[in-house]
Amino acid sequence: MVIPVHDTDPARRTAWVTYALIATNVVVFLLMPGLAGSVAGESSLAQLCHLEAFLDRYAAVPQELIHRQMPRMVPTGEVAVGPQGPGCVVAPPTYDKSPELSVLTSLFLHGSWLHLLGNMLFLLIFGNNIEDRMGHVRFALFYGACGYAAAYGFALLNAESAEPLIGASGAIAGVLGAYLVLYPKARVWVLVPFLIFLPLRLPAWLVLGSWFGLQAVYSAGEGVSDAGAVAYAAHIVGFLIGMLLAWPLKPGTPPPPEPPGLLFGRQARPRQTW
């Protein structure tokens, strides 16, 4: 998987919504219970139980989204010792959970620093151009629509799953799909892991097309041992919805300008637009 670091398509306006989304995701992650222990790799049982209770309340759960079946017993965040040793206490829920609202809150929850930083990197690089093209309000609505479509699409394919679904990946996949439609010829600087991280400037259609292809392969359970731990199907749905919603804007999108910068230490040669 290549790591994008910069695109060469300049934005005309400040991406306030993109920056606000990134800031909100970071703040929410820092406030999530059990974070301190997980960062140090020393999470206690109490921290894990607290985190489990938090996710059960605020994360989207496919079973709840499709069947609207709320669990009769949920973690309370407390620890007790039972016949099989210490464990998390479960009890009837003391709160009313809205499955529809849980999709929104789940978009700002992440399971690790790697999960968070990977998502925010893609949002930072590609989100500003889509916000620039759509405008602030429409981009915010577009981001939410892609997130909801990804969550419900994944839930339809996993209707009996009770595993929490968290992360902004589905919404950000929609941003990537829109970028592919609107700016396929833009150049993206990426780091390619090949013994060392090799910097390359590649067309967006190649970077994002290969990303989508990997999600499709991983969704089928090929090439990864933890396919069930990552909602690759949500990435696919979000990406396709992003393409669909961005398609009406395609005729009015100006082609991205060719950057005059350097390429591998040598002046880039003029080339025809394709």
Side-chain angles (χ1 to χ4, degrees):
M1 181 61 189
V2 299
I3 304 174
V5 294
H6 178 62
D7 73 328
T8 59
D9 188 22
R12 299 165 298 176
R13 70 187 88 189
T14 303
W16 294 118
V17 175
T18 298
Y19 297 150
L21 288 170
I22 293 173
T24 303
N25 275 279
V26 172
V27 170
V28 170
F29 182 73
L30 292 174
L31 295 177
M32 285 179 62
L35 173 64
S38 64
V39 171
E42 301 174 352
S43 297
S44 67
L45 179 59
Q47 290 172 325
L48 293 176
C49 291
H50 195 186
L51 178 60
E52 186 178 346
F54 178 85
L55 293 179
D56 192 82
R57 181 169 184 176
Y58 294 106
V61 178
Q63 192 176 68
E64 298 172 1
L65 295 179
I66 302 303
H67 302 298
R68 298 191 59 83
Q69 295 177 352
M70 309 307 295
R72 290 178 295 178
M73 306 291 285
V74 297
T76 65
E78 300 177 351
V79 178
V81 179
Q84 299 180 347
C88 300
V89 176
V90 295
T94 59
Y95 54 84
D96 293 324
K97 180 180 179 181
S98 167
E100 295 79 14
L101 185 59
S102 70
V103 176
L104 178 62
T105 54
S106 69
L107 292 177
F108 297 95
L109 306 178
H110 291 83
S112 67
W113 277 107
L114 183 62
H115 188 200
L116 172 72
L117 295 178
N119 277 345
M120 296 305 102
L121 176 63
F122 275 82
L123 179 57
L124 178 65
I125 293 173
F126 299 105
N128 63 331
N129 298 106
I130 305 306
E131 182 176 352
D132 181 48
R133 184 67 184 86
M134 293 184 173
H136 305 309
V137 175
R138 283 201 296 176
F139 175 72
L141 296 174
F142 166 83
Y143 183 90
C146 291
Y148 267 82
Y152 273 96
F154 179 81
L156 284 171
L157 297 173
N158 301 271
E160 304 307 320
S161 174
E163 294 296 322
L165 181 64
I166 61 174
S169 304
I172 296 172
V175 173
L176 303 186
Y179 196 100
L180 178 61
V181 168
L182 300 178
Y183 306 105
K185 299 180 183 179
R187 294 296 192 270
V188 180
W189 280 102
V190 299
L191 297 177
V192 180
F194 183 75
L195 300 180
I196 60 173
F197 283 102
L198 181 66
L200 294 174
R201 192 174 69 181
L202 303 175
W205 66 264
L206 179 59
V207 175
L208 300 179
S210 61
W211 180 89
F212 180 78
L214 283 175
Q215 305 310 301
V217 171
Y218 293 161
S219 179
E222 300 293 337
V224 288
S225 60
D226 61 342
V230 180
Y232 293 110
H235 301 173
I236 294 174
V237 174
F239 191 92
L240 294 176
I241 292 298
M243 292 184 67
L244 180 64
L245 294 178
W247 201 265
L249 301 177
K250 184 176 175 59
T253 302
E258 283 289 339
L262 302 179
L263 183 62
F264 297 113
R266 298 181 181 180
Q267 187 67 33
R269 293 178 296 178
R271 55 185 178 276
Q272 295 179 342
T273 303
W274 53 277

